[in-house]
Amino acid sequence: MAEELNPFKIAQAQFDEAAKKLGLEAPMCELLRWPRREYKFTIPVKMDNGKTKVFHGYRVQYNDARGPNKGGIRWHPDETIDTVRALAAWMTWKCSVVDIPLGGGKGGVTCNPKELSEGEKERLARGWMRVIARELGEHRDCPAPDVYTTPQIMAWMMDEYEAIVGRSHPAVITGKPLELGGSQGRGDATARGGIFTVREACKILKIDPAKATYAIQGFGNAGQFAATLHKEILGGGKLVAVSDSSGGIYSAAGFDPHDLVKWKLEKGSVTTYPKAEKKISNEELLELPVDVLYPSALENVITKENAAKIKCKVSCELANGPTTPDADVILHKAGIHVIPDFLANAGGVTVSYFEQVQGTYNYYWKLPDVQKQLDEKMTSAYHAVYDMHKKQNVHMRLAAYMVAVKRVADAVRLRGWV
Ligand code: GLU
């Protein structure tokens, strides 16, 4: 039978398995397997050629039992209500697994940002905010960056929101530029948080991270920072392969991550990097026998078709949804240690939470304080999940779900919803 690849159906199937293991009652299951609210809207934008183009936008508020909804906005050609629903569900479990007092949400626009000018992006950002502003706010729902959305886009959105409500409101959105109330350490937080979990996994698995080989699939914000921070935080390691949407490159001797990031930022793709030994495909990269693999692009790259060929020891999922449920079972049986997405990449939203707190108090923290608190959150979340994995003898993703879903269910019960 063909494998289910609709991200929301996958998110529901993952939840169902955890709910069954936790013995949740039927109404609780029904409540938690669906978003509480969802908005689908149109955004008319005046394009540079003088014509109006109508974009389709989304915001899904999945669950706010533990606190206001929180989650990024993706601008992607393949965005649909179901990708946004899945990502909103994952945000709910993500905020819960790191134990921050927030719920889950996600937004999106179906568009190809590579085809938009700066002016068109600004009008699209402001247009998105104009439609949905009344449903947002730091006590209601707080967006942030995600695939193809940037601190600049957050700045335009905050500015539009403030113009609508008529007062300063830095905590309405996170991932802003530092000059406008962004937090120190937000830029690399997703990758940094993931590497803290790899550090803990390496201790348990007795892998020396300073000697480990690693490969990165996807070279956007998270992938680029993972490349440099792996060495910086873990005291070494050899980056042998990297890919982006145009393809990948390999070097047995290892790449200089800083040089490679510079190339990517200047030239747009790693595939033309002159110091590569050979070109490889994204699929080949995933199958390399490395110690640590960082899937850092999009959903459904490790499926039942290729899972048996994956040879890493640790898969640290900086992307959301890279592994399908069938693939999870195959990786688990093969003894591959998966640090599941909503744990591995929770560093981003954790520092977003710090940014929201700082914005609300109008008092800003120093970088070492942000990084120390991030380390504490990620380390304790990793061990909570690892302990559940050992105690219940379930794979790491199911363990993460069990930790996260239980906390949300407890909040729902205490509120008297179920
Ligand atoms: N988009 C990021 C994520 O998927 C960050 C969300 C946030 O900071 O609110 O976790």
Side-chain angles (χ1 to χ4, degrees), residues 363-374:
Y363 176 80
Y364 289 86
W365 308 354
K366 295 198 177 77
L367 181 60
D369 298 333
V370 171
Q371 290 176 345
K372 183 167 168 281
Q373 298 229 28
L374 173 64

Side-chain angles (χ1 to χ4, degrees), residues 59 69-74 87 90-91 94-95 102 105-106 142-147 149 174-175 186 190 318-320 341-342 345-353:
R59 186 73 188 170
N69 302 284
K70 182 86 191 79
I73 306 165
R74 297 207 312 181
L87 287 151
W90 290 330
M91 283 310 305
K94 192 179 302 192
C95 292
L102 295 170
K106 202 82 180 192
C142 174
D146 202 284
V147 173
T149 52
T174 60
R186 177 64 184 85
T190 304
L318 295 178
N320 287 313
D341 51 4
F342 69 84
N345 68 34
V349 75
T350 301
V351 176
S352 270
Y353 163 58

